Amino acid sequence: GAGVSQSPSNKVTEKGKDVELRCDPISGHTALYWYRQSLGQGLEFLIYFQGNSAPDKSGLPSDRFSAERTGGSVSTLTIQRTQQEDSAVYLCASSALLTHGYTFGSGTRLTVV
Amino acid sequence: KQEVTQIPAALSVPEGENLVLNCSFTDSAIYNLQWFRQDPGKGLTSLLLIQSSQREQTSGRLNASLDKSSGRSTLYIAASQPGDSATYLCAVRRVDTDKLIFGTGTRLQVFP
C-alpha cells in the first residue's frame, strides 16, 4: 500500500479483556517496528521484526504482550488481560533497508476502562 | 546506552521567525538520523533523513545538519508559519540493534 495502515484507529476495552492491534506495513518493507506512546510521554520501543522473525523483543513490558508477523507483511500486537496502564497510542512503523527511514502509521489509541 | 536529548523542550515564537531546534546523541555508531513532526493526537510524519555519511539535508523551508563526531543535529526552520506548530522529534538509528532511539521532543508553537 501507499502507507503504513493501522487498525483500529481507536479501541476502548474493559480491564481484563484481550485486544489485538493490527499493522499493515508498506509493501516490500522487510522491517516492522512497534512503539508505544503514553499520554505526554515519549516513544517507547516495544518490538522489531525482520521478515517474520523478531530479533529484538526487549521492549515488551510484560508477558501479557506478544506480537507476530506472518508472510513478511501484516503484524498483530496482542495484549492479554489489559490493565489501565496499557492505555496509550500504539504506533507501527516499517522500513525497507537500514539506510532508509522509518514510515509510521497513524496509530491505534487504546483506552482501558 | 544511546541517549538522545532535544533542546529546547518548548518554544513559542511569532510567525516569520527563523528557528533552530537542537538534537544531541551520546553514541555516534548510527546509520542515520531522522527528524519527525507529530501533531496532537496524530502519528509521526517524517521530515528529513540524514545518513551518517552526510552533513545536511534540505526540504523546502527545512534544513537539517548532522555532525556525527560531536553527536549533534540541528533542524533549521526558515520563515516559520502557524502551520509549523507541532512537536518535533529527532531519532537515531543504531548500528547494533537497528531500532530508532527517539529524543525527548521540542514542542513548537508559532503564533500569528
Side-chain angles (χ1 to χ4, degrees), chain B residues 28-48:
Chain B
S28 62
I30 62 171
Y31 282 121
N32 51 50
L33 183 145
Q34 198 166 356
W35 282 93
F36 296 89
R37 72 174 275 170
Q38 186 175 31
D39 295 279
K42 305 290 186 182
L44 277 69
T45 300
S46 180
L47 298 173
L48 289 165

Side-chain angles (χ1 to χ4, degrees), chain A residues 33 35 37 98-100, chain B residues 31 34 38 51 93 98 100:
Chain A
Y33 311 81
Y35 284 79
Q37 188 173 34
L98 292 173
T99 53
H100 291 199
Chain B
Y31 282 121
Q34 198 166 356
Q38 186 175 31
Q51 302 299 335
R93 189 166 188 170
D98 190 39
L100 276 183

Side-chain angles (χ1 to χ4, degrees), chain A residues 13-19 79-83:
Chain A
T13 189
E14 293 181 353
K15 179 181 174 181
K17 300 283 190 182
D18 297 352
V19 294
I79 309 173
Q80 296 179 309
R81 306 180 302 281
T82 51
Q83 303 293 314

Side-chain angles (χ1 to χ4, degrees), chain A residues 31 33 35 37 40 42-43 45 48 50 56 58-59 91 95 97-107 109, chain B residues 31-32 34 36 38 40-46 49 51 89 92-95 97-104 107:
Chain A
Y33 311 81
Y35 284 79
Q37 188 173 34
L43 277 88
F45 168 80
Y48 149 58
Q50 183 63 249
D56 191 342
S58 62
L91 292 163
S95 178
L97 299 172
L98 292 173
T99 53
H100 291 199
Y102 282 34
T103 300
F104 277 84
S106 299
R109 181 176 299 276
Chain B
Y31 282 121
N32 51 50
Q34 198 166 356
F36 296 89
Q38 186 175 31
K42 305 290 186 182
L44 277 69
T45 300
S46 180
L49 171 70
Q51 302 299 335
L89 295 160
V92 296
R93 189 166 188 170
R94 291 175 53 169
V95 168
T97 67
D98 190 39
K99 62 190 179 190
L100 276 183
I101 306 298
F102 280 88
T104 46
R107 184 175 298 175

Side-chain angles (χ1 to χ4, degrees), chain A residues 54-85:
Chain A
D56 191 342
K57 307 178 184 179
S58 62
L60 294 177
S62 72
D63 58 8
R64 296 186 296 106
F65 287 73
S66 63
E68 66 174 11
R69 189 180 185 193
T70 55
S73 182
V74 173
S75 176
T76 302
L77 177 67
T78 301
I79 309 173
Q80 296 179 309
R81 306 180 302 281
T82 51
Q83 303 293 314
Q84 287 186 331
E85 61 264 27

